[in-house]
Amino acid sequence: VAWPNKSSLYILRTDGKSCTRELVTGKGKLAFAYPSTQQHLLVWRNQPKSVMVIKKLGDELLEEFVKVVEFLAVERGMKVIVEPVTYDHCLNAHAWLRDHVYTWDAEDDGRLAEHVDFVICLGGDGVILHANYLFQSSIPPVIAFNLGSLGFMTNHDYQSFREDLDSVIFGSQELESCSFMEDFGLVAPDRTGDRDSDNLGVMVTLRMRLKCEVYRNGCDIPHLTYDVLNELVIDRGPNAFLTKIECYERGRFITRVQADGIMLSTPTGSTAYSVSAGGSMVHPNVPAILLTPICAHSLSFRPILLPDYAELELRIPEDARCPAWVCFDGRSRQELGLGDSVRIKMSDTPMPTINKADLTGDWFESLDRCFRWSDRAEQRPLT
Amino acid sequence: VAWPNKSSLYILRTDGKSCTRELVTGKGKLAFAYPSTQQHLLVWRNQPKSVMVIKKLGDELLEEFVKVVEFLAVERGMKVIVEPVTYDHCLNAHAWLRDHVYTWDAEDDGRLAEHVDFVICLGGDGVILHANYLFQSSIPPVIAFNLGSLGFMTNHDYQSFREDLDSVIFGSQELESCSFMEDFGLVAPDRTGDRDSDNLGVMVTLRMRLKCEVYRNGCDIPHLTYDVLNELVIDRGPNAFLTKIECYERGRFITRVQADGIMLSTPTGSTAYSVSAGGSMVHPNVPAILLTPICAHSLSFRPILLPDYAELELRIPEDARCPAWVCFDGRSRQELGLGDSVRIKMSDTPMPTINKADLTGDWFESLDRCFRWSDRAEQRPLT
Amino acid sequence: VAWPNKSSLYILRTDGKSCTRELVTGKGKLAFAYPSTQQHLLVWRNQPKSVMVIKKLGDELLEEFVKVVEFLAVERGMKVIVEPVTYDHCLNAHAWLRDHVYTWDAEDDGRLAEHVDFVICLGGDGVILHANYLFQSSIPPVIAFNLGSLGFMTNHDYQSFREDLDSVIFGSQELESCSFMEDFGLVAPDRTGDRDSDNLGVMVTLRMRLKCEVYRNGCDIPHLTYDVLNELVIDRGPNAFLTKIECYERGRFITRVQADGIMLSTPTGSTAYSVSAGGSMVHPNVPAILLTPICAHSLSFRPILLPDYAELELRIPEDARCPAWVCFDGRSRQELGLGDSVRIKMSDTPMPTINKADLTGDWFESLDRCFRWSDRAEQRPLT
Amino acid sequence: VAWPNKSSLYILRTDGKSCTRELVTGKGKLAFAYPSTQQHLLVWRNQPKSVMVIKKLGDELLEEFVKVVEFLAVERGMKVIVEPVTYDHCLNAHAWLRDHVYTWDAEDDGRLAEHVDFVICLGGDGVILHANYLFQSSIPPVIAFNLGSLGFMTNHDYQSFREDLDSVIFGSQELESCSFMEDFGLVAPDRTGDRDSDNLGVMVTLRMRLKCEVYRNGCDIPHLTYDVLNELVIDRGPNAFLTKIECYERGRFITRVQADGIMLSTPTGSTAYSVSAGGSMVHPNVPAILLTPICAHSLSFRPILLPDYAELELRIPEDARCPAWVCFDGRSRQELGLGDSVRIKMSDTPMPTINKADLTGDWFESLDRCFRWSDRAEQRPLT
């Protein structure tokens, strides 16, 4: 397959006080310049040409998938890349797609980020976690469509996929109404201008990921590296009790954790497993790492939030009674033996997700949709 | 009283990626340049010459107070400023202090920040909240000594006050051991050099404050402004029920709160009232605003954290059944009538507090001291 | 007004092991024989002849009220008693009701329980709390209809009020299907038999009430007595801080409470204010008293449940910094001065409420209706 | 070994209203007559003659163990029974014990309750759970001594073991001071009177146990039966997700649980694992079964308490995605396959534990000791 060149893009950053503009060229990584609370705008320098479409496994969304592919390939003239399993699956059913759809060989697994302009997810939050898994070293912007199941990050309706995808490709008309843009006098960057000049781009959320490295006892080279989008969990697995986990920050001993488990979560993950364990819900623009105990034995061991510069290590003591288990975004579950440890810090490469309106609106809308957050406030008949 | 000139100082900022150095001159405000997760170092350009000493009201800490004043005035030759009530109180008991201690007139209440190099608090966290109240527009660095009662921010022991105050005045020897300084290759700024050149300064925490403005119904000018260090609370006061509070962010309706009350807290306040209401404990370097409901009627209305750029408004609807009450850091409690509102955003001027070791160490040490946070983990005999 | 004689009734009690039958004659009180977990069946000896109908204040339910009254008075030939305010209100609108509806003078306030066979509540849980207030010394069986607003105890639909009221008056056909009746071989008591012999009666829940006595400092006679159905609350009212409340059980000091407030709740009240403060949801047949702190300052002060034989006293110390406030089922809010105390124990007289199906079914159905308790379990897309 | 006859005993029951006396003869089971909130008094008809002493495994408590055995065997002339492993262990070290200490063969495992008058536990709560395991069908009174580690049920100090054991054997002098005994005019039962007549007996807590039966798919005979003292847990074990567990009460579908796990706990277990998962602390005299979810995915799925007559079934659906794991008091962990279920109801046979003072005092003392429950209330410096 002949890959197209990846388009360059701008990220405009503002923290409410200042505003910086950053050019990300084709092979560059989209990375945090400052860990701070910022809203971000994505602006393409050239129109994007290649797009990956990821769908939930199985037959159920095949029809919707084909419509999206057809729109992108035929109407918008883009190269559409799909996963090998989806490639086989959909060519069987729709042979005419052969001219429009591409896939890749296993040897190119690590180079996808160099070639894909943006990613479309069809399904629930699980599909986004899968996208995160595919793009471990660096990940292009992601737009997620809600198809049936509830999802915290799937903030786009399938019904309007044409309009929403055009917003990503050409920029969105609605930018003028984003209050923070007006507040800070933002103007459009230089563009080749094949569309209306007031289409600046689209709002994105730069979602923090946590870089997790598993070190086996006595070995300096990480046995495994995983950038999680939601959370890393260490728990007791099939054991009746969790051994006491030692917790360090930059080499300083912090505490010995006695609990069913311990979780380090991103703000994105705060509304997933962490909230079930009693954590607060954290807006994805807050640059923090959540340390949430799971059924802590001490009543005073409450969830805590650390700055994004924290560098943590969770270690199974060499004299522990039993091993523990580690899990990354609910995947790749494996045992941690005595003396093993996991080091966790903020990843250089966040996942940019396309917003529907702007960031604050999307987040509160997700709270309502997934937790009926403010809904009940209206109705509960307390006495 | 003839005020000395205020000393200039540097703030070195690092966020783990970059490092900026900022000069704050005599009448300048010490302000956030970027709302982000950063560690900060305070370096004086000239040696500080004036210091305010605030003590808990009453007789109990008088002896310790006099020792601190004597050290500063006689041994270090500084001008010592005290509150009017303390001035009267201590001159009665110790007339010889007359030549060393100063106070101020009510008309200078608003200008204290122009004249005080740093502030010493003797007592618990309540004394620090009082210092916050005295310096509403801008506040110099604060060092707090623990005297008897537990305090989350009183991280210095009275026993070593001479060494600790010298660390503030001359810089601390222990800087070399701060890992993040080494990591980023920080070097000392230009100094007039009357002390050892490796005394860079002291670590400070820039503690976010929330600027709260009360608007009475139909009036565009704030009736009251208060920069809180811990939290703003709106509750039902003596009413049996809280009216439904409307919550907006930058003019956008977010939710109608049905609860006993609602609190907007800083990370500093996260370990005060907010944790009692179920909030997470948030490191003071996390740039976030906590929205914590008090006994929410909806089981899904969990505490949330918003970015520090959030601009919130809490409004009593004009058709509400009854008024509400507002309270700032547990002070200035007053009624909010129908149509009144409170607007809350991050204040430009944080409170810098002197750390004992470095920020992370101080915070975990406070968790242990005040909540026996990791202590119980060792001992609890679950089954 | 000439009152009819009150009908006698049986209460069959079973605890899963034994079964006792208890005759309650006209002027008797319906009281707990054993505080234990039991299911109860109500069987009339003679057909009931007088009924009180209580409706929410205001005009909105007038039409439904009139239909219920007409059914009872005209079709079932009962004496219908209404509150004085409702009496005036409905006679204005429907003069023809004059021959069917009765009310009472203030001097008879305390004697209502001697004359009313059962009570019908139209509205939400607030109407049931009002019925509880009207019948402080002893209360006849209550049936509550849901009309618009959600209610935990309003488990009957207005649409089927004829069938449901006939179930109360004549006994219900559906008794055969109550599994626990079959399990224990229950048979019908002696009856005058004007209906089918297999209509044993209706299932009732005997809802615990808490007898609360307020003692003013230095006075042995209670200043106020109130039987609460939901909860007694002592809180800080308009004060910024709650004084430390001393808590005793049968004269033994238990703890000093430092919190925003403290609540003693019945199992019925466990799903009202207590659950907002973090309490568990307790089935009304569990004979327990819930002590739930409101925003406790100590992280380890969790909600606790005491046996129904507990006799508690909450006392404002004589050296307290400020007074506190007490509130009964959200009513009769008043100040508690220094040295005042409240004594709380289970009341002898529970409130019997008519079940729709049986007790367990009704309770889980209420959890679903009011909290969407099990509903979300099906849909939440965690990760 | 020639077993002595088991002594008969009385249980006096009071529920605050009535008082019943119940004779339990040698081979009888000590069982609940009524599930209700009652305080209980143990009175021997004849002096007890055989006692089992259980100690923590390993060498550490050997010295204390020998002193207790010597006191019982030599000074009080009792037959002392020990576990086989302890028997071998202590005879090696102390051969002279051979004449005083007995053990049993595996074939008598099920008949221990017929021969042991009471049980002494040396160690923490884990030893009491082990005693519970040894006496599954029926269990004699248990007295537990605190030796080093914290324990919620180990309310007797080793230092006073002689006095405390004499209180069990001969009755306690302190009974007169138990307020509830006086309140209800209790008098001593007929006794053969070899001690002072005012030594009525000792206060006991009848601790509810839950009878748990595991049913394998399609089989009507329980595969396993276990009476737990603390809790039954079903969790996801090594799986990343828990399948949805179906929950029934007496055959009625209640809810589908989506969580990390679900726990059914006794009041005794409420202060063990359940409190870590957010459950309330329940006095052991409250006749309730706690259903506590572990990290429920639905924010409204709070812990609930059901009456002790509840009969529950937790079932792995036949179309579940993966199996689950079950665990009894932290022991006997095993997989539950598709279609398997566990049925849980109150066991007929509670565990009687000897109180130190009376029940309420012991429980609040345990809250303080294990959770520093009321301690912090005095010291926390909130603002």
Side-chain angles (χ1 to χ4, degrees), chain A residues 233 235-241 260 273 275-277 281 294-299 325 327 329-331 333 371, chain D residues 233 235-241 260 273 275-277 281 294-299 325 327 329-331 333 371:
Chain A
V233 177
D235 63 22
R236 56 186 171 82
N239 304 306
F241 300 102
D260 269 17
Y273 191 10
V275 78
S276 293
M281 296 162 167
I294 305 171
C295 296
H297 292 195
S298 162
L299 300 187
W325 288 69
C327 195
D329 281 346
R331 293 163 160 252
R333 199 166 169 82
F371 296 110
Chain D
V233 177
D235 62 24
R236 55 186 171 80
N239 303 307
F241 300 102
D260 268 18
Y273 191 12
V275 79
S276 292
M281 296 162 168
I294 303 171
C295 296
H297 292 195
S298 162
L299 299 189
W325 288 69
C327 195
D329 282 346
R331 293 162 160 255
R333 199 168 171 79
F371 296 110

Side-chain angles (χ1 to χ4, degrees), chain B residues 209-330:
Chain B
R209 305 197 291 180
L210 290 175
K211 183 176 212 63
C212 306
E213 294 176 324
V214 176
Y215 288 86
R216 296 298 183 192
N217 190 0
C219 180
D220 283 349
I221 299 162
H223 166 78
L224 171 76
T225 300
Y226 201 118
D227 276 24
V228 297
L229 180 63
N230 272 351
E231 76 283 297
L232 166 110
V233 177
I234 296 182
D235 63 23
R236 55 185 170 82
N239 304 307
F241 299 102
L242 181 65
T243 195
K244 290 177 190 169
I245 303 281
E246 293 172 354
C247 180
Y248 299 84
E249 203 272 328
R250 288 172 196 259
R252 185 202 330 252
F253 176 76
I254 292 176
T255 190
R256 224 167 254 108
V257 179
Q258 195 169 0
D260 269 17
I262 185 169
M263 173 187 337
L264 288 168
S265 164
T266 65
T268 294
S270 73
T271 46
Y273 191 12
S274 176
V275 78
S276 293
S280 292
M281 295 163 169
V282 183
H283 190 283
N285 263 15
V286 174
I289 300 175
L290 292 84
L291 186 160
T292 308
I294 304 171
C295 296
H297 293 194
S298 162
L299 299 187
S300 58
F301 192 176
R302 286 284 187 87
I304 65 174
L305 278 89
L306 296 170
D308 58 3
Y309 62 69
E311 297 186 13
L312 295 152
E313 180 171 1
L314 301 173
R315 177 189 289 276
I316 316 300
E318 302 203 12
D319 59 352
R321 279 198 302 172
C322 53
W325 288 70
V326 65
C327 195
F328 309 88
D329 282 346

Side-chain angles (χ1 to χ4, degrees), chain C residues 211-254:
Chain C
K211 182 177 212 62
C212 306
E213 294 175 324
V214 176
Y215 288 86
R216 295 300 181 190
N217 190 2
C219 180
D220 283 350
I221 299 162
H223 166 78
L224 172 76
T225 299
Y226 201 119
D227 276 24
V228 297
L229 179 64
N230 272 349
E231 76 283 298
L232 166 109
V233 176
I234 297 182
D235 62 24
R236 55 186 172 82
N239 304 305
F241 300 102
L242 180 64
T243 196
K244 291 176 191 170
I245 304 281
E246 293 172 355
C247 181
Y248 299 85
E249 201 272 328
R250 287 171 195 261
R252 184 200 333 249
F253 176 75
I254 291 176

Side-chain angles (χ1 to χ4, degrees), chain B residues 16-310:
Chain B
K17 301 290 175 203
S18 64
C19 176
T20 63
R21 196 179 72 185
E22 186 177 335
L23 173 65
V24 181
T25 54
K27 303 219 169 170
K29 292 181 178 182
L30 180 57
F32 285 124
Y34 302 100
S36 66
T37 103
Q38 296 175 320
Q39 300 199 48
H40 305 94
L41 181 69
L42 181 157
V43 183
W44 301 108
R45 208 176 186 193
N46 318 111
Q47 189 174 317
K49 298 199 192 69
S50 78
V51 58
M52 182 180 288
V53 184
I54 307 179
K55 68 180 279 293
K56 205 174 157 185
L57 290 184
D59 285 341
E60 31 180 333
L61 301 180
L62 192 54
E63 186 187 351
E64 290 84 355
F65 170 78
V66 170
K67 282 192 183 148
V68 168
V69 169
E70 188 175 8
F71 171 75
L72 292 165
V74 178
E75 297 187 43
R76 291 294 168 260
M78 299 185 75
K79 281 209 161 160
V80 178
I81 300 151
V82 302
E83 287 189 275
V85 61
T86 309
Y87 186 80
D88 297 339
H89 192 71
C90 72
L91 283 201
N92 282 347
H94 301 267
W96 65 271
L97 283 173
R98 190 178 307 270
D99 297 339
H100 303 289
V101 172
Y102 301 82
T103 189
W104 69 92
D105 297 328
E107 66 196 22
D108 283 323
D109 276 354
R111 300 175 55 213
L112 294 175
E114 297 173 25
H115 302 296
V116 174
D117 284 327
F118 68 98
V119 176
I120 299 171
C121 291
L122 305 176
D125 286 351
V127 179
I128 301 177
L129 291 176
H130 183 62
N132 178 66
Y133 173 75
L134 289 178
F135 293 88
Q136 283 280 298
S137 59
S138 171
I139 179 163
V142 172
I143 180 169
F145 289 93
N146 173 21
L147 277 156
S149 57
L150 282 175
F152 212 87
M153 289 180 282
T154 54
N155 45 8
H156 291 260
D157 284 332
Y158 173 74
Q159 274 66 33
S160 57
F161 79 82
R162 287 175 182 81
E163 295 76 7
D164 290 349
L165 290 179
D166 276 351
S167 291
V168 179
I169 298 169
F170 302 112
S172 164
Q173 299 279 3
E174 293 145 27
L175 269 179
E176 290 168 297
S177 60
C178 293
S179 61
F180 87 91
M181 297 298 295
E182 295 164 359
D183 289 357
F184 304 120
L186 293 193
V187 292
D190 280 347
R191 303 186 61 203
T192 44
D194 47 352
R195 303 280 290 188
D196 296 346
S197 65
D198 51 350
N199 288 348
L200 279 178
V202 283
M203 304 293 296
V204 294
T205 302
L206 296 191
R207 293 183 182 272
M208 180 204 287
R209 305 197 291 180
L210 290 175
K211 183 176 212 63
C212 306
E213 294 176 324
V214 176
Y215 288 86
R216 296 298 183 192
N217 190 0
C219 180
D220 283 349
I221 299 162
H223 166 78
L224 171 76
T225 300
Y226 201 118
D227 276 24
V228 297
L229 180 63
N230 272 351
E231 76 283 297
L232 166 110
V233 177
I234 296 182
D235 63 23
R236 55 185 170 82
N239 304 307
F241 299 102
L242 181 65
T243 195
K244 290 177 190 169
I245 303 281
E246 293 172 354
C247 180
Y248 299 84
E249 203 272 328
R250 288 172 196 259
R252 185 202 330 252
F253 176 76
I254 292 176
T255 190
R256 224 167 254 108
V257 179
Q258 195 169 0
D260 269 17
I262 185 169
M263 173 187 337
L264 288 168
S265 164
T266 65
T268 294
S270 73
T271 46
Y273 191 12
S274 176
V275 78
S276 293
S280 292
M281 295 163 169
V282 183
H283 190 283
N285 263 15
V286 174
I289 300 175
L290 292 84
L291 186 160
T292 308
I294 304 171
C295 296
H297 293 194
S298 162
L299 299 187
S300 58
F301 192 176
R302 286 284 187 87
I304 65 174
L305 278 89
L306 296 170
D308 58 3
Y309 62 69

Side-chain angles (χ1 to χ4, degrees), chain D residues 270-337:
Chain D
S270 73
T271 46
Y273 191 12
S274 176
V275 79
S276 292
S280 292
M281 296 162 168
V282 183
H283 190 285
N285 262 15
V286 174
I289 300 175
L290 291 84
L291 186 159
T292 307
I294 303 171
C295 296
H297 292 195
S298 162
L299 299 189
S300 59
F301 193 175
R302 287 283 187 89
I304 66 174
L305 278 89
L306 296 169
D308 58 4
Y309 62 69
E311 297 186 14
L312 295 151
E313 179 169 2
L314 301 173
R315 176 187 289 276
I316 316 300
E318 301 202 13
D319 59 352
R321 279 199 302 173
C322 53
W325 288 69
V326 64
C327 195
F328 309 88
D329 282 346
R331 293 162 160 255
S332 303
R333 199 168 171 79
Q334 57 195 269
E335 205 174 71
L336 283 183

Side-chain angles (χ1 to χ4, degrees), chain C residues 12-275:
Chain C
L12 305 193
R13 300 168 190 271
T14 177
D15 54 11
K17 303 291 176 202
S18 63
C19 176
T20 62
R21 194 179 73 187
E22 186 179 332
L23 173 66
V24 182
T25 54
K27 302 220 169 169
K29 292 180 177 181
L30 178 57
F32 285 124
Y34 303 100
S36 66
T37 103
Q38 296 175 317
Q39 299 200 48
H40 306 93
L41 182 69
L42 183 156
V43 183
W44 302 106
R45 207 176 187 192
N46 318 111
Q47 190 173 316
K49 299 200 192 67
S50 78
V51 57
M52 181 180 288
V53 184
I54 307 179
K55 69 180 277 293
K56 204 173 156 184
L57 292 184
D59 285 341
E60 32 180 331
L61 302 181
L62 192 54
E63 184 186 352
E64 290 84 354
F65 170 81
V66 169
K67 282 191 184 152
V68 169
V69 169
E70 187 174 11
F71 171 75
L72 292 165
V74 177
E75 297 187 43
R76 291 294 169 259
M78 298 185 76
K79 282 212 158 155
V80 178
I81 301 151
V82 302
E83 287 189 276
V85 61
T86 309
Y87 186 82
D88 297 341
H89 191 73
C90 72
L91 284 201
N92 282 345
H94 301 267
W96 63 271
L97 283 173
R98 191 178 306 271
D99 297 339
H100 304 288
V101 174
Y102 302 82
T103 188
W104 70 92
D105 298 327
E107 65 197 23
D108 284 324
D109 275 354
R111 299 176 55 213
L112 296 174
E114 298 174 24
H115 303 295
V116 174
D117 284 327
F118 69 97
V119 176
I120 299 171
C121 291
L122 305 176
D125 286 350
V127 178
I128 301 177
L129 291 176
H130 183 62
N132 178 65
Y133 173 76
L134 289 178
F135 293 87
Q136 283 279 300
S137 58
S138 172
I139 179 162
V142 172
I143 179 168
F145 289 92
N146 173 21
L147 276 155
S149 56
L150 282 175
F152 212 88
M153 289 180 283
T154 54
N155 45 8
H156 291 260
D157 283 334
Y158 173 75
Q159 275 65 33
S160 58
F161 79 83
R162 287 174 183 80
E163 296 77 5
D164 291 347
L165 290 178
D166 277 352
S167 291
V168 179
I169 299 168
F170 303 113
S172 165
Q173 303 277 5
E174 294 145 27
L175 269 179
E176 290 168 297
S177 60
C178 292
S179 61
F180 87 93
M181 298 296 296
E182 294 165 359
D183 290 355
F184 305 118
L186 292 192
V187 294
D190 278 350
R191 302 188 60 204
T192 46
D194 47 354
R195 301 281 287 191
D196 296 345
S197 65
D198 51 350
N199 288 349
L200 278 178
V202 282
M203 303 293 298
V204 294
T205 303
L206 297 191
R207 293 183 184 272
M208 180 203 287
R209 304 198 290 180
L210 290 176
K211 182 177 212 62
C212 306
E213 294 175 324
V214 176
Y215 288 86
R216 295 300 181 190
N217 190 2
C219 180
D220 283 350
I221 299 162
H223 166 78
L224 172 76
T225 299
Y226 201 119
D227 276 24
V228 297
L229 179 64
N230 272 349
E231 76 283 298
L232 166 109
V233 176
I234 297 182
D235 62 24
R236 55 186 172 82
N239 304 305
F241 300 102
L242 180 64
T243 196
K244 291 176 191 170
I245 304 281
E246 293 172 355
C247 181
Y248 299 85
E249 201 272 328
R250 287 171 195 261
R252 184 200 333 249
F253 176 75
I254 291 176
T255 191
R256 222 167 254 108
V257 178
Q258 195 169 359
D260 269 16
I262 185 168
M263 172 188 336
L264 288 168
S265 165
T266 64
T268 294
S270 73
T271 47
Y273 191 11
S274 176
V275 78

